[in-house]
């Protein structure tokens, strides 16, 4: 508790605000979230699905506190239907996303070697070759083209399948299962069928790799189960979200490229000054709206007083990384894309124990995509007016559904 909250009297709870699942086109910031940020550092929200209401924390320092404080835990979420954005919420036992300490470190340790800097850099040359082959084919076929279909979707899928150890023959099935699972709306039976297909595949494959000494994720999981470090159920619960996580790179790089292609001076700066690209990627990660609404809630394990408001034990609490990345107290003029911003302590990959395990992998892919596309297609531009670019609808992860380009 800060000195400020220690001396402030407790206030009455703010009213519950309904936060609908908005289909926002382009890279516009969610207007409801913007209102909640203006109204105060802590709000009460009701999302389209689930039960009751939850607290929402939006200030940078508060987001970091909640996500790194053991008084707020994920595991109890699996037994509750808290208010949420996703229509179909069926968490799997053993999932890293819902694990608290000490289980979290035990589970994360089983696959950590694949996501270390050394593990990621080991894949860089293979990933670059894969990307060059895709761009070679793109150039051979000539413009126009859908950059999402030709590069931004197949490239991250290929990389995550390499990391996971998914054979080429099974990658199309993985792609179809992932697409169905990441859509929060639609037919519940189809979503359940996709999850059954994906997790059934992981079950069979992990069982076939007990005792493996390979370094791909599925082999690491099989070996960990074989040693008794984790259970088979936990291994399967780990594998699914890691596989699905590759989808975020498609959406995020799609947003980044849309921003670059609609801001010619910014695009020209990155084309002519490659040294600025790492900083630019950080700034774009800070700026883009990665997701719709909020992610996974936490449950308060005891009463916590925050900004004069009492969060009671058992209350659900959400944080918004999107809001934290627009906190003017940390990022001056936060609406502006400033590739020279320094420092840039964004939380695009989360914070605390649940910081994205694949952050280094995602960053490596993003660097390769930006470098390769800007260097090999110097005349890259949108093939349609910006307002005609189609955007994903009814999805947890925001991004262009297609990115029509020419060169």
């Amino acid at each position: 508790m800060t000195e400020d909250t220690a001396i402030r009297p407790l206030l009455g709870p703010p009213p519950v605000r309904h936060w609908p699942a908005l289909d926002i086109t382009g890279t516009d910031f969610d207007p409801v979230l913007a209102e909640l940020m203006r109204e105060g550092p802590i709000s009460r929200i009701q999302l389209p699905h689930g039960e009751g209401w939850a607290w929402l924390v939006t200030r940078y320092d508060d987001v970091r506190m909640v996500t790194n404080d053991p008084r707020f835990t994920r595991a109890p979420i699996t037994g509750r239907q808290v208010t949420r954005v996703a229509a179909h919420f069926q968490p799997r036992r053993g999932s890293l996303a819902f694990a608290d300490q000490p289980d979290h470190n035990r589970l994360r340790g089983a696959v950590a070697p694949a996501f270390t800097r050394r593990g990621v850099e080991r894949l860089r040359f293979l990933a670059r070759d894969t990307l060059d082959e895709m761009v070679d084919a793109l150039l051979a076929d000539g413009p126009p083209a859908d950059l999402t279909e030709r590069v931004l979707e197949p490239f991250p899928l290929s990389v995550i399948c390499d990391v996971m150890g998914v054979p080429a023959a099974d990658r199309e099935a993985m792609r179809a299962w992932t697409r169905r699972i990441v859509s929060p709306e639609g037919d519940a039976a189809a979503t359940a069928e996709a999850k059954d297909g994906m997790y059934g595949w992981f079950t069979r494959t992990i069982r076939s790799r007990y005792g493996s000494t390979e370094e791909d994720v599925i082999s690491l999981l099989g070996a960990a189960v074989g040693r008794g470090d984790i259970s088979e159920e936990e291994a399967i619960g780990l594998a699914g979200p890691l596989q699905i996580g590759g989808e975020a790179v498609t959406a995020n790089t799609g947003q980044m490229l849309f921003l670059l292609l609609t801001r010619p001076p910014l695009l020209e700066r990155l084309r002519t000054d490659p040294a600025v690209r790492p900083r630019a990627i950080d700034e774009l990660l800070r700026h883009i709206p990665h997701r719709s609404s909020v992610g996974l809630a936490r449950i308060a394990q005891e009463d916590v007083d925050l900004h004069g408001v009492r969060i009671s034990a058992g209350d659900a609490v959400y944080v918004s990384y999107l809001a934290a990345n627009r906190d003017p107290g940390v990022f001056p003029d936060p609406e502006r894309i400033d590739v020279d911003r320094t420092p840039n302590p964004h939380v695009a990959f989360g914070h605390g124990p649940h910081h994205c395990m694949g952050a280094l992998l995602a960053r490596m892919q993003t660097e390769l995509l930006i470098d390769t596309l800007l260097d090999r297609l110097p005349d890259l531009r949108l093939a349609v007016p910006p307002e005609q670019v189609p955007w994903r609808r009814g999805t947890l992860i925001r991004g262009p559904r297609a990115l029509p380009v020419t060169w």
Side-chain angles (χ1 to χ4, degrees):
M1 183 183 299
T2 65
E3 180 181 356
D4 177 62
T5 56
I7 63 175
R8 289 179 60 185
L10 289 176
L11 308 174
V16 177
R17 291 285 304 274
H18 178 62
W19 189 355
L22 302 178
D23 274 328
I24 304 172
T25 59
T27 56
D28 293 341
F29 197 73
D30 189 317
V32 178
L33 179 55
E35 287 180 15
L36 293 168
M37 292 170 62
R38 288 193 295 267
E39 290 172 3
I42 183 166
S43 310
R44 290 199 299 167
I45 57 170
Q46 182 182 56
L47 297 167
H49 305 285
E51 301 170 357
W53 55 268
W55 296 102
L56 173 69
V57 171
T58 55
R59 299 277 174 88
Y60 182 88
D61 288 342
D62 297 334
V63 166
R64 285 169 58 94
M65 182 276 289
V66 169
T67 54
N68 203 36
D69 191 322
R71 293 177 296 176
F72 301 95
T73 62
R74 285 266 186 88
I77 292 293
T78 60
R80 295 177 53 176
Q81 290 293 320
V82 300
T83 187
R84 62 186 189 275
V85 67
H88 314 304
F89 180 69
Q90 295 178 322
R92 293 190 68 89
R93 290 176 56 84
S95 172
L96 185 65
F98 299 101
D100 295 322
Q101 302 296 15
D103 286 338
H104 184 272
N105 281 351
R106 177 176 58 84
L107 295 174
R108 192 163 178 138
V111 293
F115 296 98
T116 62
R117 189 170 299 279
R118 172 184 170 277
V120 168
E121 287 304 314
R122 183 171 53 85
L123 287 167
R124 184 181 288 270
F125 293 109
L126 174 62
R128 181 183 287 121
D129 289 345
T130 299
L131 180 57
D132 280 337
E133 289 176 5
M134 291 179 182
V135 175
D136 287 345
L138 184 74
L139 292 172
D141 290 343
D146 175 2
L147 198 61
T148 299
E149 179 184 32
R150 296 296 301 270
V151 178
L152 301 184
E153 185 176 72
F155 174 62
L157 176 67
S158 177
V159 172
I160 195 61
C161 284
D162 286 334
V163 173
M164 296 296 293
V166 179
D170 295 318
R171 295 188 177 189
E172 184 54 40
M174 277 293 176
R175 177 172 174 266
W177 290 329
T178 297
R179 278 186 163 182
R180 170 52 57 188
I181 292 169
V182 298
S183 177
E185 303 292 347
D187 183 72
T191 302
E193 182 180 1
K195 289 182 177 180
D196 287 344
M198 176 180 286
Y199 285 104
W201 187 92
F202 281 128
T203 300
R204 296 187 299 274
T205 309
I206 287 170
R207 286 175 179 171
S208 73
R209 300 189 186 180
Y210 289 177
S212 175
T213 58
E214 298 299 316
E215 295 184 312
D216 62 84
V217 169
I218 300 172
S219 294
L220 290 170
L221 289 172
V225 174
R227 292 191 305 268
D229 294 345
I230 64 175
S231 69
E232 182 180 277
E233 183 179 49
E234 289 171 331
I236 297 164
L238 273 164
L242 290 173
Q243 177 71 46
I244 294 168
E247 177 78 2
V249 176
T250 297
N252 289 347
T253 55
Q255 289 196 64
M256 289 182 184
L257 286 160
F258 176 82
L259 283 170
L260 292 175
L261 295 174
T262 54
R263 289 163 172 76
L266 179 60
L267 179 62
E268 185 62 19
R269 173 84 186 275
L270 267 65
R271 278 177 172 154
T272 58
D273 185 7
V276 80
R277 292 175 189 173
R279 293 201 309 274
I281 288 172
D282 271 319
E283 178 66 350
L284 292 170
L285 284 168
R286 181 197 69 83
H287 182 85
I288 62 174
H290 299 260
R291 61 167 300 113
S292 301
S293 190
V294 285
L296 298 175
R298 291 167 172 81
I299 301 295
Q301 297 303 296
E302 60 183 73
D303 294 351
V304 179
D305 297 336
L306 184 64
H307 296 293
V309 174
R310 172 153 295 170
I311 300 172
S312 298
D315 285 355
V317 182
Y318 281 102
V319 302
S320 173
Y321 292 120
L322 302 184
N325 281 339
R326 301 289 182 104
D327 186 336
V330 179
F331 305 100
D333 195 6
E335 306 305 317
R336 184 167 66 94
I337 299 174
D338 179 7
V339 299
D340 296 311
R341 188 185 300 277
T342 182
N344 191 347
H346 66 79
V347 286
F349 293 115
H351 181 68
H354 288 282
H355 178 271
C356 177
M357 176 175 284
L360 291 174
L361 181 66
R363 179 65 187 244
M364 180 268 284
Q365 294 175 80
T366 303
E367 290 171 354
L368 288 177
L369 281 164
I370 295 297
D371 285 343
T372 300
L373 292 172
L374 266 58
D375 292 342
R376 296 195 60 188
L377 288 88
D379 296 320
L380 186 68
R381 59 193 184 275
L382 288 179
V384 298
E387 60 273 14
Q388 292 183 18
V389 172
W391 290 78
R392 299 178 178 210
R393 294 187 175 275
T395 57
L396 297 174
I397 303 173
R398 286 182 58 182
R401 181 165 50 84
L403 197 60
V405 296
T406 189
W407 56 91

